[in-house]
């Protein structure tokens, strides 16, 4: 397969990494083995994103609704995140990757939050790929928290209600400063957003692939980018814009 050409590269790719459990079940393995294998796919995709010059890669790692899963699975997922940051932070830093975490940071386990903050702090001045980790993230929760911040400012007389524009709302979301995703990929054949970047996805191109997340790799990633490159983005207008005009 040819490499996707630079001219049609999305600037921001966001991925709903789904299907770890089904990948494991298909092999008669416990779900946790699927999550473990999923981390390898994360490494592959982060490397590929850096290689092909994507500016922002957002990975949905744990949703605000994933707490509904059995305690043992939640605990496995937390353990894997911790292990990933401990093991990979130095490499990512060396590769000039900047890490940013989105999601609610309140009430996170005391062994998780410091690691996330360390990852952000260590890599804050890096200039290659920005890796956005959506952890304890839910779009409705993010919007509710943004509205609370805005409402407090209105009550304090700092802003008028009329000043609440889409741009002001953007500025109060966890994703402040990050361009909207050009391309959102979901693996595992499910075709829904599951509370991921609902506001930011207004004009994102959506690509659903049947493979389970642990099977996602460089070639599949490149082929989703090729699919994206064939899409025509209009942003509500009439003039067809090539995908590269994204933002
Ligand atoms: C995605 O795989 C990983 C997380 C949601 C953390 P799942 O665990 O949702 O796997 P399936 O969808 O049950 O197969
Ligand atoms: C979305 O997947 C969350 C992550 C990938 C972290 P889920 O597996 O939680 O979504 P639903 O429940 O199938 O919609
Ligand atoms: Mg799932």
């Amino acid at each position: 397969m040819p490499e996707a050409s630079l001219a049609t590269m999305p600037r921001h790719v966001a991925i709903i990494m789904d299907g770890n459990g089904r990948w494991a079940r298909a092999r008669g393995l416990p779900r946790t083995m699927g999550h473990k294998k999923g981390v390898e796919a994360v490494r592959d995709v982060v490397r590929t994103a850096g290689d092909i010059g994507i500016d922002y890669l957002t990975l949905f790692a744990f949703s605000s609704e994933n707490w509904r899963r059995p305690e043992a699975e939640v605990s496995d997922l937390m353990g894997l995140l911790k292990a990933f940051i401990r093991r990979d932070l130095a490499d990512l830093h060396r590769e000039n990757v900047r890490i940013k975490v989105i999601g609610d940071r309140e009430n996170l386990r005391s062994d998780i939050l410091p690691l996330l903050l360390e990852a952000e702090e260590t890599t804050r001045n890096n200039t290659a790929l920005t890796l956005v980790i959506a952890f304890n993230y839910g779009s409705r929760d993010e919007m509710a928290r943004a509205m609370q911040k805005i409402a407090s400012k209105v009550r304090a007389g700092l802003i008028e209600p009329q000043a609440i524009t889409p741009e002001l709302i953007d500025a109060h979301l966890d994703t402040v400063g990050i361009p909207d995703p050009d391309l959102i990929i979901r693996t595992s054949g499910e075709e829904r957003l599951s509370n991921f970047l609902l506001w930011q996805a207004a004009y994102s191109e959506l690509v659903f692939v049947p493979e389970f997340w642990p099977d996602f790799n460089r070639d599949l990633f490149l082929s989703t980018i090729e699919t994206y490159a064939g899409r025509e983005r209009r942003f509500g207008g009439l003039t067809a814009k090539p995908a590269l005009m994204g933002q």
Side-chain angles (χ1 to χ4, degrees):
M1 187 193 347
E3 293 260 337
S5 89
L6 253 180
T8 50
M9 199 62 75
R11 186 167 177 221
H12 180 179
V13 179
I15 307 184
I16 303 171
M17 311 184 287
D18 197 16
N20 292 351
R22 279 164 284 164
W23 180 92
R25 195 172 61 190
R27 286 161 181 77
L29 298 169
R31 291 177 59 84
T32 176
M33 292 307 289
H35 296 315
K36 227 175 176 172
K37 187 84 173 131
V39 177
E40 288 174 33
V42 166
R43 291 197 179 98
D44 200 13
V45 163
V46 171
R47 203 173 305 121
T48 303
D51 287 349
I52 63 179
I54 283 170
D55 289 340
Y56 296 85
L57 175 69
T58 298
L59 299 178
F60 202 3
F62 190 86
S63 80
S64 42
E65 287 73 33
N66 285 147
W67 297 104
R68 295 175 188 158
R69 296 187 180 200
E71 221 176 290
E73 177 161 347
V74 169
S75 168
D76 281 343
L77 287 166
M78 299 292 149
L80 282 171
L81 177 82
K82 268 167 59 178
F84 174 73
I85 292 182
R86 287 218 185 99
R87 253 182 252 154
D88 290 56
L89 180 58
D91 282 347
L92 292 168
H93 187 38
R94 205 172 309 117
E95 286 159 26
N96 199 17
V97 172
R98 181 171 65 131
I99 296 173
K100 169 105 185 70
V101 180
I102 58 170
D104 189 5
R105 297 176 183 208
E106 292 290 311
N107 307 319
L108 281 187
R109 269 171 36 172
S110 60
D111 56 337
I112 298 274
L113 186 59
L115 272 179
L116 297 178
L117 297 175
E118 183 196 336
E120 286 189 328
E121 190 51 37
T122 307
T123 62
R124 63 181 305 152
N125 294 320
N126 289 347
T127 53
L129 173 73
T130 297
L131 173 63
V132 183
I133 302 175
F135 180 76
N136 193 22
Y137 176 85
S139 202
R140 289 178 171 183
D141 173 71
E142 177 193 33
M143 287 192 249
R145 286 185 286 108
M147 287 176 206
Q148 286 169 14
K149 287 180 231 163
I150 293 170
S152 300
K153 289 184 186 173
V154 173
R155 190 175 55 186
L158 297 171
I159 52 173
E160 293 297 320
Q162 294 76 8
I164 303 173
T165 58
E167 291 73 24
L168 186 99
I169 293 171
D170 266 335
H172 288 82
L173 294 170
D174 297 347
T175 50
V176 56
I178 299 171
D180 288 343
D182 301 293
L183 167 62
I184 296 180
I185 302 167
R186 183 171 188 147
T187 58
S188 90
E190 306 295 346
E191 301 191 353
R192 55 178 174 270
L193 289 176
S194 298
N195 204 13
F196 186 50
L197 300 175
L198 302 181
W199 169 275
Q200 298 86 340
Y203 280 101
S204 302
E205 295 296 331
L206 310 181
V207 176
F208 301 103
V209 299
E211 289 81 5
F212 296 136
W213 175 251
D215 289 328
F216 198 75
N217 57 24
R218 185 183 179 94
D219 283 349
L220 285 167
F221 193 14
L222 294 178
S223 105
T224 59
I225 288 171
E226 226 170 76
T227 302
Y228 167 83
R231 301 273 178 92
E232 185 185 283
R233 304 188 74 186
R234 297 197 192 128
F235 300 94
L238 294 178
T239 326
K241 288 186 183 181
L244 77 141
M245 301 293 286
Q247 290 303 318

